[in-house]
Amino acid sequence: MSRQDINRSGEMEVFVSVVERGGFSAAATARRMTPSAVSKLLARLETRLGARLVNRSTRRLQLTPEGCAFYERCVAILADIAEAERQASTGEQASGRIRINTSGSFGNHVLAPLVPAFMALHPAVTLDISHTDRIVDLMEERADVAIRAGPLKSSSLIARKLGATGKIIVASPDYLSRHGKPRTIADLRRHCRIGFSYARAIEGWPLREGGGETVMIPITPGLQVGDGEAMRHLALSGAGLARLAAFTVRGDIDAGRLVPVLEEANPSDLEEFYAVYMGQGGPLPARVRALLDFLVSHVRF
């Protein structure tokens, strides 16, 4: 048989089925073949490659090191073929479900207002949005895109910057009427400072003293929450002071529900936001690329 006559993708599909279904019989059923035909195909494949891919026994199949490496490459190649066919057949149209994981604050104040415009541009796309402030494993959560603040820690991820926002210390008028408005950094010692309950790159509030030196003010251990929206609502209820992203509280400040405090001590530090996605495993699906391009061009803080 000439090299041109060999159906390499077909062989790969059968081999992957044998591995993932655990045997010739199950693979034969899935591929609508006989177990004998599957066994002969695998034998021909091993002969052509000059390597044993599977150790056979009466109980189970076990991949050899060469078989493991070949299996991983087969999965990647078959995924590339499927993506190429999908793109060719749909003309690069963005379609299908996009799973987005983001913080509640970004999701409510930045992402949600943009959703109608994105859906109008891409009616064949469906969005599945989940909110959490904790860092998630994209593969474990089955998320296509995560939107997070701060630098990347994993080299297997790729990020596109969406922008940056300042941070503001705020309190409700009711809280300030009961406890007084802090005028200096030292005044914060007698105020409740709401903090986050999860680990962060910077623990505490960085504030600038009169001489220009930045000091770190610890949070109040007795009141911590797991997400920015919960912190915002605690501040609105008069529970204490909160230091939050400006986009989170801008509407509350404009409406008089929250009041900025110690603005002169703000060090003008910025919190950068990124759209993060997996950078391995073949070409980026059109639906994900469409979302990333849209966010980069439309997100404003």
Side-chain angles (χ1 to χ4, degrees), residues 173-209:
D174 174 66
Y175 176 87
L176 295 177
S177 68
R178 288 183 288 112
H179 299 277
K181 188 173 183 178
R183 304 293 178 182
T184 67
I185 294 177
D187 291 342
L188 291 176
R189 296 191 184 96
R190 58 184 178 83
H191 286 272
C192 176
R193 303 176 299 280
I194 308 170
F196 288 105
S197 57
Y198 57 88
R200 295 170 62 83
I202 298 177
E203 295 293 344
W205 296 353
L207 296 176
R208 187 174 57 233
E209 294 183 315

Side-chain angles (χ1 to χ4, degrees), residues 1-8:
M1 182 181 294
S2 68
R3 294 178 65 87
Q4 289 80 3
D5 294 333
I6 299 172
N7 182 356
R8 285 179 171 77

Side-chain angles (χ1 to χ4, degrees), residues 15-300:
F15 175 65
V16 168
S17 290
V18 170
V19 175
E20 295 183 346
R21 296 180 181 274
F24 294 156
S25 296
T29 300
R31 305 300 306 174
R32 297 184 177 180
M33 300 169 65
T34 65
S36 175
V38 171
S39 178
K40 290 178 181 178
L41 183 148
L42 183 57
R44 288 197 304 270
L45 176 61
E46 289 178 323
T47 298
R48 191 178 80 251
L49 296 177
R52 179 173 289 276
L53 302 176
V54 176
N55 287 323
R56 302 157 176 81
S57 71
T58 56
R59 293 175 177 243
R60 62 188 179 91
L61 300 178
Q62 183 179 30
L63 285 176
T64 64
E66 293 79 11
C68 287
F70 187 65
Y71 167 74
E72 291 176 0
R73 291 296 299 145
C74 285
V75 170
I77 290 169
L78 291 173
D80 286 346
I81 292 174
E83 179 64 16
E85 291 177 344
R86 189 195 64 76
Q87 291 181 3
S89 64
T90 62
E92 283 285 339
Q93 178 187 10
S95 63
R97 177 183 295 183
I98 307 175
R99 295 180 175 88
I100 306 171
N101 185 281
T102 182
S103 66
S105 295
F106 186 95
N108 287 320
H109 298 280
V110 180
L111 181 61
L114 297 177
V115 165
F118 178 79
M119 299 297 288
L121 284 173
H122 303 286
V125 169
T126 59
L127 297 181
D128 183 344
I129 304 172
S130 61
H131 291 169
T132 176
D133 278 32
R134 67 181 178 85
I135 302 299
V136 300
D137 183 311
L138 294 188
M139 294 188 67
E140 182 178 329
E141 296 291 328
R142 300 179 63 194
D144 297 297
V145 176
I147 300 172
R148 285 293 178 269
L152 289 178
K153 293 184 178 180
S154 173
S155 60
S156 66
L157 301 178
I158 298 175
R160 293 183 66 176
K161 185 176 177 180
L162 302 179
T165 180
K167 308 198 78 172
I168 306 174
I169 299 176
V170 294
S172 70
D174 174 66
Y175 176 87
L176 295 177
S177 68
R178 288 183 288 112
H179 299 277
K181 188 173 183 178
R183 304 293 178 182
T184 67
I185 294 177
D187 291 342
L188 291 176
R189 296 191 184 96
R190 58 184 178 83
H191 286 272
C192 176
R193 303 176 299 280
I194 308 170
F196 288 105
S197 57
Y198 57 88
R200 295 170 62 83
I202 298 177
E203 295 293 344
W205 296 353
L207 296 176
R208 187 174 57 233
E209 294 183 315
E213 180 183 357
T214 299
V215 296
M216 191 65 65
I217 304 301
I219 59 174
T220 304
L223 185 53
Q224 301 179 16
V225 292
D227 64 86
E229 275 300 277
M231 181 179 290
R232 169 177 166 266
H233 282 288
L234 283 172
L236 286 168
S237 70
L241 303 174
R243 188 172 192 260
L244 290 162
F247 70 81
T248 305
V249 295
R250 188 176 294 117
D252 297 317
I253 293 173
D254 292 343
R257 294 186 293 266
L258 291 173
V259 178
V261 301
L262 290 176
E263 292 181 273
E264 67 283 354
N266 193 328
S268 300
D269 57 321
L270 295 177
E271 188 171 49
E272 297 180 336
F273 278 77
Y274 296 87
V276 183
Y277 58 97
M278 298 295 295
Q280 300 175 350
L284 196 63
R287 56 189 166 80
V288 177
R289 185 168 58 254
L291 174 68
L292 294 170
D293 292 343
F294 180 86
L295 291 176
V296 168
S297 62
H298 286 79
V299 167
R300 298 290 182 270

